[in-house]
Amino acid sequence: MKINPANAFALPPAPELGREDELFVRRTAARLRAKGLRQPAFLAVESARPLHFLGFSAALFLRPFAELVYGPDRAGRFFLVFENPRAAELLAQLLSADDAPSENTGAGERDAE
Protein backbone atom coordinates (compact mmCIF):
# COMPACT_ATOMS: atom_id res chain seq x y z
CA MET A 1 0.00 0.00 0.00
CA LYS A 2 1.45 3.31 -1.08
CA ILE A 3 0.75 6.35 1.11
CA ASN A 4 0.83 9.85 -0.32
CA PRO A 5 1.94 12.21 2.48
CA ALA A 6 0.85 15.28 0.48
CA ASN A 7 -2.78 14.32 1.10
CA ALA A 8 -2.38 13.53 4.80
CA PHE A 9 -3.63 16.93 5.93
CA ALA A 10 -5.67 17.94 2.90
CA LEU A 11 -9.13 19.25 3.65
CA PRO A 12 -12.08 18.68 1.36
CA PRO A 13 -13.31 21.74 -0.52
CA ALA A 14 -15.95 23.76 1.30
CA PRO A 15 -19.49 23.37 -0.03
CA GLU A 16 -21.24 26.28 -1.68
CA LEU A 17 -23.47 28.37 0.58
CA GLY A 18 -27.17 27.77 0.19
CA ARG A 19 -29.55 30.67 -0.35
CA GLU A 20 -30.76 30.60 3.28
CA ASP A 21 -27.21 30.51 4.60
CA GLU A 22 -26.10 33.38 2.37
CA LEU A 23 -29.08 35.42 3.49
CA PHE A 24 -28.23 34.61 7.12
CA VAL A 25 -24.66 35.86 6.57
CA ARG A 26 -25.90 39.07 4.93
CA ARG A 27 -28.31 39.71 7.79
CA THR A 28 -25.54 39.01 10.29
CA ALA A 29 -23.35 41.62 8.61
CA ALA A 30 -26.20 44.14 8.65
CA ARG A 31 -26.84 43.49 12.35
CA LEU A 32 -23.19 43.86 13.24
CA ARG A 33 -23.01 47.15 11.35
CA ALA A 34 -26.19 48.41 13.05
CA LYS A 35 -24.76 47.61 16.48
CA GLY A 36 -21.49 49.37 15.66
CA LEU A 37 -19.55 46.10 15.80
CA ARG A 38 -18.24 46.04 12.25
CA GLN A 39 -14.55 46.37 13.12
CA PRO A 40 -14.48 43.98 16.11
CA ALA A 41 -16.45 41.44 14.08
CA PHE A 42 -14.08 41.74 11.15
CA LEU A 43 -11.14 41.24 13.50
CA ALA A 44 -12.78 38.17 15.06
CA VAL A 45 -13.59 36.61 11.68
CA GLU A 46 -10.13 37.21 10.28
CA SER A 47 -8.32 36.02 13.41
CA ALA A 48 -10.42 32.83 13.54
CA ARG A 49 -9.86 32.01 9.88
CA PRO A 50 -6.83 29.76 10.54
CA LEU A 51 -8.97 27.79 13.00
CA HIS A 52 -11.69 26.84 10.53
CA PHE A 53 -10.42 23.32 10.24
CA LEU A 54 -10.65 23.06 14.02
CA GLY A 55 -14.38 23.78 14.12
CA PHE A 56 -14.79 23.27 17.85
CA SER A 57 -11.92 25.62 18.70
CA ALA A 58 -13.29 28.32 16.42
CA ALA A 59 -16.74 27.86 17.95
CA LEU A 60 -15.38 28.30 21.45
CA PHE A 61 -13.51 31.41 20.36
CA LEU A 62 -16.57 33.02 18.76
CA ARG A 63 -19.34 31.82 21.07
CA PRO A 64 -19.46 34.90 23.35
CA PHE A 65 -19.51 37.13 20.28
CA ALA A 66 -22.36 35.16 18.68
CA GLU A 67 -24.38 35.25 21.91
CA LEU A 68 -23.91 39.02 22.03
CA VAL A 69 -25.39 39.41 18.55
CA TYR A 70 -28.02 36.65 18.54
CA GLY A 71 -28.64 35.74 22.15
CA PRO A 72 -27.86 32.33 23.60
CA ASP A 73 -30.77 30.53 21.92
CA ARG A 74 -29.95 31.53 18.36
CA ALA A 75 -26.17 31.26 18.57
CA GLY A 76 -26.44 27.61 17.50
CA ARG A 77 -27.64 28.65 14.03
CA PHE A 78 -24.63 30.94 13.80
CA PHE A 79 -22.26 28.02 14.36
CA LEU A 80 -24.04 25.76 11.89
CA VAL A 81 -23.71 28.36 9.13
CA PHE A 82 -20.19 29.48 9.97
CA GLU A 83 -18.78 25.96 10.00
CA ASN A 84 -18.49 26.57 6.28
CA PRO A 85 -15.38 28.67 5.51
CA ARG A 86 -17.24 30.31 2.62
CA ALA A 87 -19.64 31.90 5.09
CA ALA A 88 -16.75 33.46 6.99
CA GLU A 89 -15.24 34.72 3.73
CA LEU A 90 -18.53 36.33 2.72
CA LEU A 91 -18.98 37.92 6.14
CA ALA A 92 -15.44 39.34 6.03
CA GLN A 93 -16.13 40.79 2.57
CA LEU A 94 -19.40 42.36 3.71
CA LEU A 95 -17.84 43.82 6.86
CA SER A 96 -14.83 45.22 5.04
CA ALA A 97 -16.97 46.98 2.40
CA ASP A 98 -17.30 50.72 2.84
CA ASP A 99 -21.05 50.78 2.28
CA ALA A 100 -23.60 48.79 4.22
CA PRO A 101 -25.09 45.73 2.50
CA SER A 102 -28.49 46.60 1.13
CA GLU A 103 -29.61 43.31 -0.39
CA ASN A 104 -32.27 41.46 1.65
CA THR A 105 -31.46 43.13 4.96
CA GLY A 106 -34.71 44.94 5.70
CA ALA A 107 -35.45 45.66 9.34
CA GLY A 108 -38.77 43.84 9.20
CA GLU A 109 -37.31 40.57 7.97
CA ARG A 110 -36.59 37.76 10.40
CA ASP A 111 -33.58 35.48 10.28
CA ALA A 112 -34.09 32.04 8.80
CA GLU A 113 -33.99 29.46 11.56
Side-chain angles (χ1 to χ4, degrees):
M1 181 165 139
K2 186 175 180 180
I3 298 174
N4 184 354
N7 293 331
F9 299 103
L11 298 173
E16 293 292 326
L17 284 178
R19 177 152 165 68
E20 277 186 32
D21 292 345
E22 183 177 340
L23 185 58
F24 184 83
V25 173
R26 290 183 180 280
R27 288 178 178 160
T28 299
R31 258 190 191 177
L32 291 168
R33 285 175 173 271
K35 291 182 180 260
L37 296 171
R38 186 184 98 167
Q39 291 174 340
F42 181 77
L43 178 65
V45 169
E46 286 297 316
S47 65
R49 195 177 286 223
L51 299 176
H52 255 98
F53 68 98
L54 300 172
F56 184 69
S57 295
L60 289 177
F61 177 74
L62 293 174
R63 183 150 191 108
F65 185 70
E67 288 180 359
L68 175 68
V69 175
Y70 291 108
D73 298 335
R74 297 175 76 195
R77 171 79 171 133
F78 175 87
F79 292 115
L80 286 176
V81 171
F82 285 97
E83 276 183 340
N84 186 341
R86 292 180 193 253
E89 289 173 19
L90 177 60
L91 182 61
Q93 289 173 0
L94 293 170
L95 292 174
S96 67
D98 288 335
D99 58 340
S102 60
E103 196 175 332
N104 295 322
T105 57
E109 295 181 6
R110 293 186 46 97
D111 293 329
E113 295 193 23

